[in-house]
Amino acid sequence: AVGESYAKYSFKPVSEVFTAEMKEKARHPGVADIEQPADPRCVKAVLLGLSNTGKSSLINNILHEHISPVSPKAYCTRHWILGSCVTHKTQVILLDTPSLSVPLMPLNPQAKDPQLFHEAKRRLLTTEASWEALHHADVAIVVVDGDKGFLHKGHLEMLDALEKRLHALDHVVQVMVCVTKLDLFEYPEEALTRIKTSLKESGIRFSNVLPILRGRGDSYLRARTALVNMGRPGDWMFPQSQSTTQTLDELMQGAIQERVIRHIPRGRLSAKYCQVRIAGWTEKHKNVTIDCVITVASVDVKSIIIKNLTTITEETKKAWHRRVKDKSLGLNIHMAVTPVDQWSWENPYGYFKPSWHYSEVDANILVDPRVDQQ
């Protein structure tokens, strides 16, 4: 049932991400093969964790490249995000995954609120897809937030599920734990000691338990060094200069989504269901025009986004100029904002295909005219 849902939710099986897609996107045009060093080594690691634990921040800092959208609100990562870096002769390949949901919500098609059923189905799909990544990884990086100073019930249930998954594998996967948000404590060592004690009781053998402190580059360097030490003999899968398989439009889609979610008040459903899609991409005379569709959960949140569209546009343009090598390449952004409808509730993370006609309000804002009619 989960496999049948991949196409509906526009979610690729991780086997495609780690094999066919990687081989296709890793090759630059005109380059027949990736240049390999003498005695190359490679390690494939997947990041696993509950929502809002800092997985995306961790992968960005390990790679020294902003490839995964980051938000203080949960469920910012919706799809596989693959990145790589090279240290000496070892290539580290990292896969950022959507959040695990433990325990899963009960699937009840007869629920009075269809939204709850579709949310339960989404969590089942993304959680199973994240667990599936273990079959293709050498290392599992378990990210836990240590802001409470101990492992709560959700962490313990996740570790219990991880232990069962590891036993079912046909190969050995090393497990490394990264404890984030310890910088919130005056004495982070004490909180880390309590968390290590709980980890020992889980029954899983961890190769490393590393504290991750915000603003401390040495903590990310230790994590990267630990991954390099786990490298195995094998060919590189990316050119050394390539840090991600994402195309420029996919990176910009993540950048816009990251900035839109920042402006959604906490506790609003739309932070979870906010969806950004690039509907058009035109390059002409040293200028790129992006047509972007933003779907939110309600009309009132749509109004909040429209009020902040100027700020979102300016922040996105700054991210654009940091990303592109040609600084003379300009950027125009046209945005359409619409509340979610029944079709997209059934497919909250699928490709949203708007059927309405845009009405231009100003140079950067496009609004769904149906909203005014409602």
Side-chain angles (χ1 to χ4, degrees):
V2 174
E4 293 173 357
S5 300
Y6 275 125
K8 179 179 178 182
Y9 284 82
S10 303
F11 217 103
K12 292 184 179 180
V14 71
S15 55
E16 293 185 16
V17 179
F18 263 135
T19 53
E21 181 179 331
M22 217 160 51
K23 291 176 181 177
E24 178 184 349
K25 288 189 174 183
R27 297 176 184 272
H28 290 303
V31 179
D33 295 298
I34 300 170
E35 184 178 350
Q36 302 287 343
D39 303 322
R41 298 174 67 85
C42 186
V43 58
K44 293 184 289 188
V46 56
L47 283 82
L48 300 171
L50 304 179
S51 63
N52 209 23
T53 54
K55 299 184 294 297
S56 298
S57 296
L58 180 61
I59 188 174
N60 289 340
N61 282 280
I62 290 177
L63 299 178
H64 299 296
E65 189 84 27
H66 195 100
I67 67 167
S68 187
V70 177
S71 170
K73 302 178 182 68
Y75 302 102
C76 189
T77 302
R78 310 291 173 80
H79 297 283
W80 306 118
I81 295 179
L82 198 67
S84 71
C85 63
V86 173
T87 299
H88 303 302
K89 296 182 179 181
T90 302
Q91 184 167 77
V92 177
I93 299 173
L94 295 172
L95 182 68
D96 193 9
T97 63
S99 303
L100 296 170
S101 295
V102 182
L104 288 168
M105 298 170 61
L107 269 177
N108 181 15
Q110 306 302 324
K112 293 183 179 179
D113 188 353
Q115 174 186 329
L116 293 178
F117 170 69
H118 295 305
E119 169 64 5
K121 195 170 183 179
R122 183 198 66 79
R123 291 192 182 187
L124 171 64
L125 171 68
T126 55
T127 298
E128 288 299 321
S130 296
W131 285 129
E132 184 194 347
L134 288 171
H135 292 274
H136 307 272
D138 306 316
V139 180
I141 304 176
V142 179
V143 184
V144 299
D145 49 339
D147 54 348
K148 293 183 174 59
F150 58 89
L151 297 183
H152 56 68
K153 183 179 178 181
H155 289 143
L156 298 176
E157 290 177 341
M158 177 188 67
L159 292 173
D160 183 58
L162 174 62
E163 183 180 13
K164 295 176 182 176
R165 300 278 176 164
L166 291 174
H167 283 309
L169 296 177
D170 56 1
H171 69 290
V172 177
V173 173
Q174 299 186 68
V175 182
M176 182 172 80
V177 177
C178 289
V179 186
T180 61
K181 304 182 182 180
L182 287 175
D183 49 281
L184 299 176
F185 292 93
E186 184 177 0
Y187 302 102
E189 296 82 5
E190 297 179 2
L192 182 62
T193 301
R194 291 194 295 270
I195 291 174
K196 283 184 176 180
T197 302
S198 300
L199 290 172
K200 289 180 180 178
E201 298 172 355
S202 67
I204 303 176
R205 184 178 179 181
F206 301 103
S207 58
N208 291 285
V209 179
L210 302 176
I212 302 296
L213 304 175
R214 185 182 304 174
R216 291 279 299 275
D218 57 335
S219 60
Y220 299 109
L221 179 60
R222 283 197 296 269
R224 181 167 173 165
T225 302
L227 287 169
V228 170
N229 293 335
M230 297 178 191
R232 302 175 181 180
D235 290 344
W236 290 1
M237 306 188 77
F238 293 97
Q240 185 171 354
S241 59
Q242 188 172 0
S243 60
T244 180
T245 58
Q246 294 182 96
T247 57
L248 184 56
D249 61 324
E250 290 172 334
L251 288 167
M252 292 310 299
Q253 179 174 290
I256 296 171
Q257 176 179 294
E258 175 181 328
R259 284 150 183 82
V260 168
I261 291 179
R262 284 180 188 173
H263 292 279
I264 297 176
R266 284 187 177 275
R268 297 296 187 99
L269 209 57
S270 54
K272 186 181 298 182
Y273 292 111
C274 173
Q275 182 177 239
V276 175
R277 291 293 176 194
I278 301 295
W281 183 285
T282 307
E283 296 185 31
K284 188 176 181 181
H285 303 307
K286 285 285 186 178
N287 199 57
V288 173
T289 300
I290 297 177
D291 297 324
C292 178
V293 181
I294 303 173
T295 310
V296 294
S298 62
V299 176
D300 63 327
V301 179
K302 171 238 169 196
S303 301
I304 296 173
I305 297 301
I306 287 183
K307 289 178 182 177
N308 291 281
L309 273 185
T310 302
T311 304
I312 293 170
T313 301
E314 292 303 318
E315 291 175 349
T316 303
K317 286 183 177 180
K318 291 179 181 178
W320 164 267
H321 289 298
R322 286 195 299 267
R323 171 64 60 179
V324 297
K325 295 181 180 179
D326 187 356
K327 302 304 178 183
S328 64
L329 198 62
L331 176 68
N332 293 325
I333 306 175
H334 293 167
M335 296 186 182
V337 185
T338 177
V340 75
D341 58 14
Q342 183 60 39
W343 179 85
S344 51
W345 272 126
E346 296 175 358
N347 188 6
Y349 293 139
Y351 287 97
F352 187 82
K353 298 178 181 178
S355 57
W356 65 89
H357 298 286
Y358 295 155
S359 62
E360 190 164 353
V361 177
D362 61 36
N364 288 317
I365 302 175
L366 295 169
V367 183
D368 175 10
R370 295 178 305 174
V371 177
D372 298 331
Q373 294 172 7
Q374 293 172 357

